[in-house]
Amino acid sequence: MFKAVLFDLDGTLLNRDKSIELFINQQYERLFDLLSHISKEQYISRFIELDNRGYVWKDKVYQQLIDEFNISSVTCEELLKDYLKEFKHHCVGFPHIHEMLEELKNNKIALGMITNGYGQFQMENIKALNIDQYFDVILVSEWEGMKKPNPQIFINALEKLNVEPSESVFIGDHPENDVKAAQNVGMKGIWKRDNQWTDIEADAIIDDYLKLPEILKKLDF
């Protein structure tokens, strides 16, 4: 039986696509007096496009929006501050994450998380999902001074959990940063299915977290 299961956050436990749509819709509504010369549809669609599923930090996204839409009533810094303050209120987890984490804990499996991003921002999102209490170790790239797919961040997490790579599984949505990187240090890599990628080489693929215990049993043979 595996001794530890580690997770990515964005796109794995946090449904980031849905969360960002909820946030940017509400941001437009909150700041309507400042953004009303732009249609909601334009603002939302362009933000999502520039955001590139979180791989572009929001200072660049907002600066581009200001330049493209000639926004003069609010600054890039003010929009970014709003994002940092409000995003956590729109965090949506994937179905069954609480039941799944509860079952793993009940089975005495150590739980870890490795996420790329800014420390305080990511921790607030984790707490917003009400899952922080399940995890024995949470590593955020800003605080660690390195990010996935750097093998050392995986090794650091395993050392903190006091488990060997061969005793551990990593679950993430990114084929290289999560699955391949975990496999490279000797862990099993489970891919959280994401429709933007196909033909992923993983030890297993998961769609429904209620099926994780079954997947773990199959991988353990």
Side-chain angles (χ1 to χ4, degrees):
M1 187 67 183
F2 291 108
K3 292 183 179 180
V5 177
L6 292 83
F7 296 84
D8 169 51
L9 176 62
D10 295 320
T12 301
L13 297 171
L14 173 74
N15 186 335
R16 192 181 181 281
D17 290 345
K18 184 175 288 186
S19 301
I20 206 72
E21 286 177 16
L22 289 171
F23 162 76
I24 198 61
N25 192 296
Q26 287 299 310
Q27 182 177 65
Y28 183 88
E29 295 291 340
R30 278 195 312 277
L31 305 178
F32 178 76
D33 290 344
L34 305 175
L35 302 172
S36 57
H37 67 289
I38 314 161
S39 74
K40 179 191 275 193
E41 291 73 18
Q42 281 182 304
Y43 186 75
I44 291 174
S45 63
R46 190 59 178 140
F47 178 94
I48 291 173
E49 184 178 9
L50 292 169
D51 174 67
N52 191 26
R53 306 192 85 201
Y55 290 101
V56 179
W57 184 235
K58 298 324 146 273
D59 56 351
K60 294 183 174 62
V61 172
Y62 284 123
Q63 189 58 60
Q64 188 70 24
L65 287 174
I66 284 174
D67 293 343
E68 287 187 16
F69 292 128
N70 296 313
I71 300 171
S72 58
S73 50
V74 63
T75 67
C76 170
E77 291 76 17
E78 288 168 330
L79 289 171
L80 179 59
K81 185 177 180 181
D82 182 78
Y83 173 79
L84 293 172
K85 177 184 176 186
E86 298 292 337
F87 181 80
K88 59 181 174 285
H89 300 306
H90 305 282
C91 288
V92 178
F94 283 103
H96 310 306
I97 58 173
H98 292 91
E99 298 97 310
M100 174 268 295
L101 293 169
E102 190 75 41
E103 182 168 355
L104 292 176
K105 291 300 284 186
N106 289 340
N107 288 330
K108 310 301 182 186
I109 294 175
L111 297 181
M113 189 188 304
I114 307 173
T115 174
N116 289 349
Y118 290 95
Q120 189 60 38
F121 181 76
Q122 293 295 69
M123 284 304 301
E124 287 176 354
N125 295 340
I126 293 165
K127 290 177 180 178
L129 292 176
N130 194 28
I131 59 173
D132 53 302
Q133 71 273 13
Y134 293 106
F135 287 90
D136 303 292
V137 168
I138 298 175
L139 301 188
V140 186
S141 63
E142 181 196 14
W143 290 342
E144 296 304 306
M146 65 187 80
K147 63 182 182 179
K148 299 175 296 179
N150 188 329
Q152 191 61 48
I153 198 168
F154 292 88
I155 293 167
N156 290 353
L158 294 173
E159 287 179 349
K160 289 177 183 293
L161 291 169
N162 195 29
V163 295
E164 296 296 322
S166 60
E167 301 171 323
S168 310
V169 171
F170 192 86
I171 302 172
D173 67 302
H174 197 286
E176 297 295 329
N177 295 347
D178 295 323
V179 177
K180 184 69 172 175
Q183 291 172 329
N184 285 343
V185 299
M187 305 173 71
K188 294 292 187 184
I190 297 178
W191 181 51
K192 171 65 173 72
R193 192 188 300 276
D194 187 311
N195 291 332
Q196 73 168 318
W197 286 295
T198 57
D199 300 322
I200 304 307
E201 295 183 8
D203 294 296
I205 298 172
I206 191 164
D207 296 288
D208 181 354
Y209 279 121
L210 290 180
K211 296 182 178 179
L212 181 58
E214 176 187 338
I215 291 172
L216 293 177
K217 285 178 184 177
K218 289 181 179 178
L219 284 181
D220 207 27
F221 285 105

